[in-house]
């Protein structure tokens, strides 16, 4: 028998056995009998009227089985891709929600917009057929940037969306903020851009659909982070397939970062096509195809103002943002730059008044939606940057100004002026820990050493908090969520005492199979190896909202914990009968049910056996079997946070920024598996560093072409960009989640961009540089140095 | 990729014959550039003529005054060659900076030079050292070989068999890697010979080019700091999402100085 491996231990990951030995089962590994190949034909134009499509040559091409277009979608009466959030403006007017057809109808609105689907015997034949499709476009000017899109006379994407504004959203007490600004001793101002990002999961998106006429059932295998949500959105709202006739499977998925947490048109088209061609259809995106169709992230232009009193205390914070939505509303699109942004603008500070206006804008770009951190990195970046700007302008040390404004540990629970109430936290403790770990005291010596080599060294801080564990349904519903955000888990105890868990979250790299097994092993006292986690199949798992927003452990783990408690409760009932003791006297500990104060006991295995072999069993009061299910809807968000400190070196000759040290002390609540948490922090930090220094999705204004259309032009961070990171946790326990957990999936991406850019600005501050936009590329830094007040040689 | 015929000749004349007799056929060397092009359906040759069985195209030899590298020699072999490291360490260093380990063990010097990518490294070494490109038909001086964006003096059916490098007194290469692709955003090769210095730049413009003012300054006195003041005209330099022309021009000066420093080590 194996060992119990419980909460706080760091076993190697269960799932790595199959991943590291090449035995994963990804969508593109799956082959179905009689399978055909599908290829999407995508718009090469950013904006154009679709005059007509001549299918004849494509249909005549060898091996081509079908060519489907927007007209076929219309003829079959199919729905448009739904948006899961409906936000409203200050007057309560709902956002503009133009239809998002799964294949373009009448117009194309971004390079990559889907125009047709070609099904053939082989991928080569489908590609050859696709090249023969004759599409008549009347090209229109594209509009890419948000500033350009809201100008008068800008190209307009939708006839009924004037100025391309989807929603003019606001949050906070505008009048209180204005009055605080009038009283302010100092006002810091900052204009910034939050750069557009492409998610780049290692596995590109893919899907296979199959229709079984004998049962009238569809199966869709898809690279999804939330198969049940795809089943609901696609079945109920797009294709009109009853839920019991649709199975959605998301098998092993090679990373998501949010890119795979939306219902994509490709899924609907393939499922629809499978029935039309009466054979399974498979599509696997290329990396380049992903670049023009995977939802992008971020893309804000922001003006921020911070009002302070003469002692550097924050009086009020005002933020005006233009957020790019791309060509259509994606599943969570309008929620990201509003509900996941505005409420985070309080940060870890006691700022009493905050006002935020966000104009959500359509442009001729790939739809923008959640990408790791989603809204919260943007909020953190604005706030942590302007705090540094204010400190510099008022001549206050950057750490000191943070301390002066920080919420003290004793003040939790803390109600912010922007909806959210933090349940717990200790930002000062994280800051102190990070200052120590980063050897901030020794920075002066290191800076001098860099100067000796002709390099500028800088240090940057980010003390941040985020809101995750998405989400309390009641709260989300008020903000415009059109669905619930709970999670479910079933704990099935087999007659021999082993356990299978069915859970609605989806593991695509996060190590759930290990973390969740540890929870069960810990609570039930069964061996770690005797617990398997099942996810990603609507036929096997009862229900689930999937994995995103650092919710899997916080919400899914809570459901699992509850279900496990129910198993224990039922086990106690069985034990009470078998041990002939009152139920209240039965204790459960370390896998044993015992009668308090006696040595009479039954093992967990014995109870499981009795549940399934009910010869001597209380049938009159209990059903046989040992399987319990729980749904958990959180009462609040969780609020992980911490302090990140970045140290950079700038080569003034070339403008190159090198990250030389990185320290993070994060409060993620209870840590189940420290190795997995560390991995999540590492990965998140690297992605945040990627945003700060390297990544940028660039479009050509006018033509709408994506100029950073491949890994040759879009720079993802690599191992050699990173120093060894120092990460540690400083936990305060969440007061409302069952295990005190807070979530750790996104903290790295949220805390790090500001820390890195603050370090770059610090390195260049002696030259009069006060802000650097992301990514801080060599060219951009060189340009700043060219324009800087001092000659470089003066250093 | 679209289907095509595949030939694996073992003699250079057979390869040349296949190449001329099948219209639009393509030579396949390491495939690091060609295969992605085919996979993206950007090229559609009816046949590939694989050079990998032509043993005479592989290997490195030297005669004291020159080093000759067979066209099918992978970058990793050049980087690790004791002979190249001893005689032209700057060239070994250049080869070690190309791509990643996988690319270096497949990609070849012949393929790189024939392809003449404006951001490739070898063209800077070949032009900077004043090498000679040996083909199935003739010998071509580097100064006559590179004709601009992906263009060379190679004629239809002509196969590069080797490159002959004169051994310089000293030489160095400095590369500023493009952040995403890690090709040369700007790469400069500096080589000092008894009769003068050659400076060749890749990455900055549509094709590799020499910088006569730097060559003159260094020929007079091989002191890299002397070129710090020599500015490059931005006319004709590339501007793209990674670097504007004036930044590239600036980098040429910085990298030339660093290449000179590398040559002195
Ligand atoms: C990820 C990646 C990163 C890279 N990074 C760099 C880099 O940093 N620096 C750099 O310089 N390069 C880089 N490259 C390119 C690499 O060096 C290639 O190997 C090189 O450009 C082509 O060499 P090959 O042997 O692969 O040629 P192939 O791809 O096989 O052929 C290229 C072209 O040359 C022709 N050809 C090949 N051999 C001959 C010959 N003997 N005679 C005539 N014509 C011939 C072919 O017909 C074809 O048109 C990179 C490539 C990749 C995929």
């Amino acid at each position: 028998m194996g060992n119990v491996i419980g909460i706080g231990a760091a076993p190697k990951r269960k799932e790595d056995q199959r991943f590291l030995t090449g035995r994963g089962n990804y969508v593109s590994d799956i082959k179905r009998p009689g399978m055909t190949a599908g290829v999407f034909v995508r718009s090469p134009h950013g904006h154009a009227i679709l005059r007509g499509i001549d299918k004849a040559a494509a249909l005549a091409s060898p091996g081509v089985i079908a060519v489907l277009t927007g007209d076929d979608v219309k003829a079959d009466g199919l729905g448009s891709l739904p948006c899961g959030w409906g936000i409203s403006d200050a007057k309560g007017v709902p956002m503009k929600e133009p239809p998002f057809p799964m294949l373009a109808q009448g117009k194309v609105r971004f390079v990559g917009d889907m125009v047709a689907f070609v099904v053939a015997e082989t991928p080569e034949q489908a590609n050859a057929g696709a090249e023969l499709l004759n599409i008549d476009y009347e090209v229109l000017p594209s509009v890419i940037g948000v500033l350009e899109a809201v100008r008068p006379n800008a190209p307009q994407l939708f006839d009924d969306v004037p100025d391309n504004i989807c929603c003019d959203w606001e949050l906070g007490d505008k009048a209180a903020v204005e009055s605080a600004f009038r009283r302010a001793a100092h006002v810091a101002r900052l204009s910034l851009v939050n750069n557009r990002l492409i998610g780049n999961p290692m596995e590109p998106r893919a899907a296979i659909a199959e229709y079984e006429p004998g049962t009238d059932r569809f199966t869709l295998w898809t690279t999804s982070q939330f198969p049940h949500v795809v089943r609901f959105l696609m079945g109920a709202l797009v294709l009109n397939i009853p839920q019991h006739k649709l199975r959605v499977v998301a098998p092993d998925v090679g990373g998501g970062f949010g890119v795979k947490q939306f219902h994509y048109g490709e899924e609907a088209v393939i499922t629809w096509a499978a029935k039309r061609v009466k054979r399974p259809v498979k599509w696997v995106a290329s990396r380049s195809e992903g670049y023009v169709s995977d939802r992008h992230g971020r893309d804000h232009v922001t003006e921020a103002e911070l009002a302070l009193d003469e002692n550097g205390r924050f009086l009020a914070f005002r933020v005006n943002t233009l957020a790019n939505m791309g060509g259509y509303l994606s599943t969570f699109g309008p929620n990201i730059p509003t509900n996941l942004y505005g409420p985070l603008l309080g940060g870890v500070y006691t700022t009493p008044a905050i006002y935020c206006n966000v104009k959500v804008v359509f442009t001729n770009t790939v739809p923008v939606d959640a990408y790791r951190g989603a809204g919260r990195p943007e909020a953190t970046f604005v706030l942590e940057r302007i705090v540094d700007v204010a400190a510099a302008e008022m001549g206050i040390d950057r750490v000191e100004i943070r301390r002066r404004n920080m919420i003290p540990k004793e003040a939790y629970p803390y109600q912010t002026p922007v909806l959210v109430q933090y349940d717990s936290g200790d930002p000062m403790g994280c800051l102190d820990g990070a200052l120590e770990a980063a050897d901030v005291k020794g920075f002066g010596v290191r800076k001098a050493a860099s100067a000796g080599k002709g390099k500028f060294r800088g240090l940057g801080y980010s003390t941040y908090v985020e809101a995750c564990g998405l989400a309390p349904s009641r709260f989300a519903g008020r903000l415009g969520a059109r669905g619930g955000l709970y999670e479910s888990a079933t704990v099935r105890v087999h007659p021999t005492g082993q356990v299978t868990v069915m859970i609605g979250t989806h593991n695509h790299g996060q190590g759930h199979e290990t973390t969740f097994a540890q929870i069960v092993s810990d609570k039930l006292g069964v061996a770690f190896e005797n617990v398997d986690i099942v996810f990603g199949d609507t036929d096997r798992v009862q229900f689930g909202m999937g994995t995103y927003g650092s919710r899997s452990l916080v919400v899914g783990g809570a459901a699992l914990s509850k279900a496990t408690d129910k198993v224990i409760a039922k086990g106690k009932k069985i034990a009470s009968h078998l041990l002939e003791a009152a139920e209240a006297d039965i204790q459960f500990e370390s896998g044993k049910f015992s009668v308090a104060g006696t040595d009479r006991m039954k093992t967990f295995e014995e109870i499981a056996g009795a549940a399934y072999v009910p010869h001597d069993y209380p049938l009159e009061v209990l059903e046989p079997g040992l399987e319990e299910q729980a749904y958990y809807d959180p009462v609040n968000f969780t609020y992980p946070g911490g302090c990140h400190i970045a140290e950079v070196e700038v080569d003034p000759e070339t403008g190159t920024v090198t990250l030389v040290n990185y320290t993070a002390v994060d409060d993620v609540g209870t840590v189940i598996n420290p190795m997995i948490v560390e991995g999540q922090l590492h990965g998140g930090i690297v992605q945040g560093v990627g945003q700060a220094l390297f990544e940028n999705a660039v479009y050509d204004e006018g033509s709408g072409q994506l100029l950073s259309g491949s890994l040759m032009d879009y720079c993802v961070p690599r191992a050699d960009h990173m120093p060894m990171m120092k990460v540690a946790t400083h936990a305060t326990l969440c007061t409302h989640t069952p295990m005190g957990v807070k979530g750790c999936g996104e903290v790295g991406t949220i805390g790090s961009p500001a820390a890195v850019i603050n370090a770059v600005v610090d390195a260049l501050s002696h030259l009069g540089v006060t802000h650097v936009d992301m990514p801080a590329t060599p060219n951009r830094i060189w340009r700043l140095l060219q324009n800087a007040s001092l000659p470089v040689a003066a250093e | 990729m679209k289907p095509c015929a595949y030939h694996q000749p073992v003699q250079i004349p057979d390869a040349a014959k296949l190449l001329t007799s099948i219209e639009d056929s393509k030579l396949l060397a390491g495939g690091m550039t060609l295969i992605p092009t085919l996979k993206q359906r950007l090229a559609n040759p009816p046949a590939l003529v694989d050079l990998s069985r032509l043993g005479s195209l592989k290997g490195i030899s030297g005669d004291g005054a020159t080093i000759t590298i067979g066209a099918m020699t992978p970058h990793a072999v050049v980087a690790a060659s004791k002979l190249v490291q001893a005689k032209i360490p700057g060239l070994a260093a250049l080869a070690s900076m190309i791509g990643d380990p996988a690319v270096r063990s497949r990609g070849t010097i012949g393929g790189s030079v024939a392809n003449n990518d404006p951001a490739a490294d070898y063209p800077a070494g070949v032009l900077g050292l004043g090498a000679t490109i040996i083909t199935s038909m003739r010998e071509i001086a580097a100064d006559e070989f590179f004709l601009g964006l992906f263009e060379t003096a190679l004629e239809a059916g002509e196969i590069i068999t080797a490159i002959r490098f004169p051994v310089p007194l000293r030489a160095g290469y400095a590369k500023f890697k493009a952040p995403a692709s890690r090709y040369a955003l700007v790469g400069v090769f500096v080589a000092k010979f008894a009769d003068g210095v050659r400076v060749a730049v890749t990455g900055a413009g549509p094709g590799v080019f020499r910088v006569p003012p730097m060559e003159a300054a260094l020929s007079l006195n091989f002191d890299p700091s002397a070129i710090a003041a020599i500015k490059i005209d931005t006319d004709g330099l590339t501007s793209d999402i990674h670097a504007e022309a004036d930044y590239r021009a600036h980098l040429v000066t910085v990298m030339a100085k660093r290449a000179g420093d590398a040559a002195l080590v």
Side-chain angles (χ1 to χ4, degrees):
Chain A
M1 208 187 85
N3 293 325
V4 167
I5 300 181
I7 292 172
K12 294 266 156 53
R13 305 197 319 169
K14 275 176 181 272
E15 47 269 70
D16 287 340
Q17 180 63 31
R18 67 178 188 282
F19 294 151
L20 297 180
T21 55
R23 285 177 168 76
N25 180 39
Y26 297 89
V27 172
S28 67
D29 294 325
I30 297 171
K31 292 189 179 66
R32 302 296 304 166
M35 191 164 78
T36 64
V39 163
F40 288 95
V41 179
R42 297 177 183 277
S43 170
H45 307 294
H47 198 189
I49 294 168
L50 201 49
R51 289 205 170 287
I53 302 175
D54 181 356
K55 299 181 183 180
L59 279 170
S61 183
V64 171
I65 300 166
V67 176
L68 301 172
T69 68
D71 285 347
D72 301 307
V73 172
K74 210 186 283 176
D76 278 10
L78 305 178
S80 130
L81 299 174
C83 180
W85 283 74
I87 57 167
S88 304
D89 71 11
K91 298 188 201 77
V93 179
M95 66 182 190
K96 301 278 191 328
E97 195 172 358
F100 186 175
M102 55 202 236
L103 292 173
Q105 292 174 7
K107 226 183 176 193
V108 289
R109 294 187 175 82
F110 63 93
V111 169
D113 203 355
M114 298 193 292
V115 175
F117 186 55
V118 178
V119 183
E121 297 292 340
T122 67
E124 289 71 27
Q125 290 172 332
N127 273 308
E131 280 166 9
L132 295 173
L133 212 59
N134 208 331
I135 306 171
D136 185 7
Y137 294 102
E138 180 186 328
V139 179
L140 304 171
S142 294
V143 64
I144 299 303
V146 283
L147 292 169
E148 288 75 14
V150 298
R151 271 186 201 141
N153 305 324
Q156 195 168 312
L157 272 77
F158 300 95
D159 291 344
D160 50 356
V161 184
D163 300 325
N164 297 310
I165 294 178
C166 163
C167 190
D168 190 347
W169 182 90
E170 63 176 41
L171 176 68
D173 188 339
K174 195 175 185 177
V177 167
E178 275 164 11
S179 113
F181 269 87
R182 281 193 295 271
R183 283 183 282 123
H186 183 79
V187 174
R189 293 192 170 80
L190 179 64
S191 304
L192 59 83
V193 172
N194 199 286
N195 43 326
R196 186 182 182 101
L197 303 179
I198 300 176
N200 279 296
M202 192 153 351
E203 178 205 25
R205 286 187 299 121
I208 305 175
E210 181 168 309
Y211 175 67
E212 175 53 57
T215 55
D216 192 29
R217 279 197 105 214
F218 292 83
T219 303
L220 170 69
W221 289 265
T222 179
T223 50
S224 180
Q225 300 175 218
F226 61 175
H228 289 85
V229 180
V230 170
R231 182 179 65 169
F232 176 74
L233 296 177
M234 182 179 83
L237 305 176
V238 184
L239 299 181
N240 307 317
I241 301 171
Q243 294 290 288
H244 67 302
K245 295 294 187 191
L246 176 57
R247 175 185 180 196
V248 178
V249 184
D252 284 331
V253 171
F257 310 130
V259 165
K260 296 171 182 169
Q261 68 172 66
F262 318 121
H263 170 41
Y264 281 93
E266 288 90 343
E267 295 168 323
V269 171
I270 284 167
T271 308
W272 167 59
K275 185 171 181 184
R276 287 186 62 125
V277 305
K278 302 188 177 68
R279 286 170 63 184
V281 183
K282 181 178 195 171
W283 159 77
V284 180
S286 67
R287 178 70 55 187
S288 325
E289 188 176 10
Y291 267 55
V292 296
S293 62
D294 292 355
R295 305 306 179 230
H296 292 182
R298 319 282 193 258
D299 203 343
H300 289 193
V301 174
T302 293
E303 304 274 340
E305 297 160 285
L306 182 66
L308 304 97
D309 72 9
E310 61 284 357
N311 298 317
R313 292 224 158 68
F314 307 159
L315 300 175
F317 189 32
R318 181 160 53 204
V319 175
N320 289 299
T321 291
L322 290 170
N324 202 331
M325 273 292 100
Y328 302 90
L329 295 183
S330 169
T331 312
F332 294 102
N335 178 48
I336 307 305
T338 54
N339 295 319
L340 291 183
Y341 176 70
L344 270 297
L345 291 170
V348 294
Y349 311 115
T350 55
T351 319
I354 299 173
Y355 171 77
C356 170
N357 173 260
V358 181
K359 291 187 177 63
V360 177
V361 180
F362 289 114
T363 65
N364 294 111
T365 62
V366 170
V368 178
D369 206 319
Y371 166 64
R372 198 173 191 174
R376 292 149 288 164
E378 296 90 312
T380 300
F381 188 69
V382 176
L383 179 57
E384 288 303 298
R385 273 300 300 130
I386 204 165
V387 167
D388 266 26
V389 170
E393 287 173 355
M394 295 186 74
I396 304 173
D397 175 75
R398 294 173 293 159
V399 173
E400 175 55 25
I401 201 169
R402 285 177 166 81
R403 282 192 199 282
R404 274 183 211 174
N405 289 283
M406 238 171 219
I407 304 166
K409 191 178 178 186
E410 315 74 63
Y412 289 84
Y414 185 84
Q415 178 63 51
T416 71
V418 274
L419 300 178
V420 291
Q421 189 190 74
Y422 307 143
D423 65 293
S424 59
D426 179 18
M428 208 87 80
C430 292
L431 172 63
D432 288 334
L435 290 172
E436 176 77 34
D439 183 23
V440 169
K441 286 204 186 85
F443 175 71
V445 174
R446 298 194 293 276
K447 188 175 172 75
S450 295
K453 296 181 291 170
K455 305 271 175 72
F456 304 148
R457 203 173 182 104
L459 197 62
Y461 304 91
S462 166
T463 47
Y464 74 97
V465 63
E466 63 129 328
C468 71
L470 308 182
S473 296
R474 186 194 308 271
F475 192 92
R478 281 205 299 273
L479 298 178
R482 291 170 172 166
L485 288 146
Y486 45 82
E487 198 44 77
S488 86
T490 298
V491 175
R492 177 175 298 161
V493 181
H494 300 283
T496 44
Q498 293 95 350
V499 177
T500 302
V501 170
M502 272 66 62
I503 193 157
T505 53
H506 190 279
N507 181 23
H508 39 276
Q510 298 89 342
H512 294 172
E513 288 164 63
T514 304
T515 300
F516 291 157
Q518 284 181 250
I519 293 171
V520 174
S521 181
D522 193 285
K523 296 192 66 141
L524 295 183
V526 299
F528 174 69
E529 66 187 45
N530 288 342
V531 184
D532 267 6
I533 311 296
V534 171
F535 59 91
D537 183 344
T538 60
D539 269 10
R540 294 184 73 191
V541 177
Q542 58 290 343
F543 203 70
M545 303 310 295
T547 286
Y548 50 87
S550 305
R551 70 188 305 278
S552 299
L553 176 61
V554 174
V555 191
L560 175 57
S561 172
K562 263 180 83 178
T564 311
D565 288 341
K566 289 187 186 179
V567 165
I568 295 170
K570 183 166 182 185
K572 281 185 178 172
K573 286 197 166 72
I574 301 171
S576 119
H577 172 78
L578 298 179
L579 294 169
E580 295 173 334
E583 195 186 321
D585 291 337
I586 302 294
Q587 293 175 333
F588 181 68
E589 223 193 291
S590 306
K592 292 183 182 70
F593 293 90
S594 60
V595 182
T598 75
D599 59 359
R600 285 186 294 143
M601 66 90 164
K602 293 274 178 194
T603 64
F604 185 76
E605 285 76 18
E606 285 171 318
I607 294 297
Y612 289 94
V613 189
H615 294 162
D616 175 21
Y617 190 90
L619 287 168
E620 36 320 314
V621 291
L622 269 186
E623 293 171 11
L626 193 52
E627 169 166 333
E628 295 291 342
Q629 187 171 97
Y631 277 66
Y632 174 81
D633 202 308
V635 300
N636 190 356
F637 296 95
T638 56
Y639 301 96
C643 176
H644 287 205
I645 302 181
E647 199 167 318
V648 301
E649 208 175 53
V650 178
D651 174 359
E653 268 192 338
T654 63
T656 305
V657 176
T658 306
L659 184 65
V660 288
N661 283 315
Y662 201 91
T663 306
V665 175
D666 292 306
D667 178 359
V668 299
T670 303
V671 171
I672 308 290
N673 182 321
M675 176 192 71
I676 287 178
V677 168
E678 199 174 322
Q680 287 291 311
L681 297 176
H682 285 166
I685 290 166
V686 172
Q687 272 174 313
V689 170
Q691 165 159 34
L693 297 180
F694 310 114
E695 301 186 42
N696 205 15
V698 186
Y699 277 94
D700 180 43
E701 190 76 46
S703 75
Q705 297 300 321
L706 179 64
L707 300 177
S708 56
S710 79
L711 286 166
M712 296 300 266
D713 289 305
Y714 184 90
C715 185
V716 294
R718 306 185 196 182
D720 65 358
H721 285 133
M722 295 301 299
M724 294 307 286
M725 289 169 265
K726 286 187 207 138
V727 307
T729 55
H730 173 81
T732 61
L733 300 194
C734 176
T735 59
H736 57 83
T737 54
M739 294 165 286
V741 297
K742 296 189 178 182
C744 70
E746 294 161 295
V747 288
T749 333
I750 293 167
S752 55
V756 174
I757 294 298
N758 283 343
V760 175
V761 174
D762 180 48
L764 305 179
S765 60
H766 64 290
L767 303 173
V769 171
T770 56
H771 179 66
V772 177
D773 266 324
M774 301 188 288
T777 60
N779 194 158
R780 182 169 270 159
I781 297 294
W782 176 77
R783 179 79 52 210
L784 275 172
L785 294 175
Q786 291 298 105
N787 300 337
S789 46
L790 293 172
V792 168
E795 174 67 359
Chain B
M1 126 172 216
K2 303 182 189 180
C4 71
Y6 176 70
H7 300 279
Q8 226 179 12
V10 291
Q11 303 282 347
I12 294 173
D14 296 343
K17 198 187 284 167
L18 281 164
L19 199 58
T20 42
S21 61
I22 311 171
E23 203 182 335
D24 294 330
S25 61
K26 278 259 178 207
L27 292 175
L28 175 66
M32 293 290 93
T33 297
L34 186 53
I35 299 287
T37 319
L38 299 181
K39 280 169 77 175
Q40 294 178 326
R41 303 170 74 85
L42 297 173
N44 183 22
L48 292 180
V49 181
D50 184 352
L51 299 176
S52 63
R53 289 276 176 87
L54 303 178
S56 60
L57 264 53
K58 279 188 200 134
I60 303 173
S61 59
D63 64 6
T66 65
I67 286 186
T68 302
I69 303 179
M72 284 298 286
T73 311
H75 312 327
V77 172
V78 176
S81 158
K82 294 274 174 285
L83 182 63
V84 181
Q85 285 174 358
K87 295 287 183 185
I88 324 180
L91 189 62
L94 175 149
S96 76
M97 291 181 216
I98 298 175
D100 50 48
V103 167
R104 287 196 290 276
S105 54
R106 290 287 313 169
T108 66
I109 189 169
S112 176
V113 169
N115 194 47
N116 192 20
D117 187 300
D121 296 295
Y122 266 130
V126 169
L127 186 65
L129 286 162
T132 302
I133 291 89
I134 306 168
T135 77
S136 51
M137 303 176 181
R138 57 190 166 140
E139 296 197 348
I140 312 169
D143 283 313
E144 267 83 61
F145 184 82
F146 299 105
L147 304 182
L149 197 66
F150 294 106
E151 268 194 54
T152 66
L154 287 176
E155 283 171 16
E158 191 167 11
I159 301 171
I160 300 177
T161 56
I163 317 246
R164 190 172 63 235
F165 294 92
V167 173
L169 296 174
R170 47 179 78 250
Y173 182 61
K175 174 180 185 178
F176 191 86
K177 291 179 181 178
S181 72
R182 300 203 168 176
Y183 273 79
L185 194 67
V186 168
V188 182
F189 200 96
V190 172
K192 177 176 162 63
F193 294 92
D195 59 351
V197 172
R198 292 171 67 102
V199 176
V201 177
T202 188
V208 60
F209 60 89
R210 290 171 61 183
V211 190
M214 289 185 181
E215 293 182 347
L218 288 173
S219 297
L220 222 55
N221 174 13
F222 199 84
D223 173 7
S225 59
I227 34 183
I230 302 177
K231 299 272 175 273
I232 296 294
D233 192 351
T234 57
D235 264 7
L237 296 194
T238 307
S239 249
D240 58 25
I241 60 171
H242 306 296
E244 292 148 300
D246 58 345
Y247 176 58
R248 276 193 165 85
H250 166 79
L251 281 183
V252 170
T253 303
V254 175
M255 290 299 125
K257 182 182 159 295
R258 292 185 184 181
D261 289 338
L264 287 170
V265 177

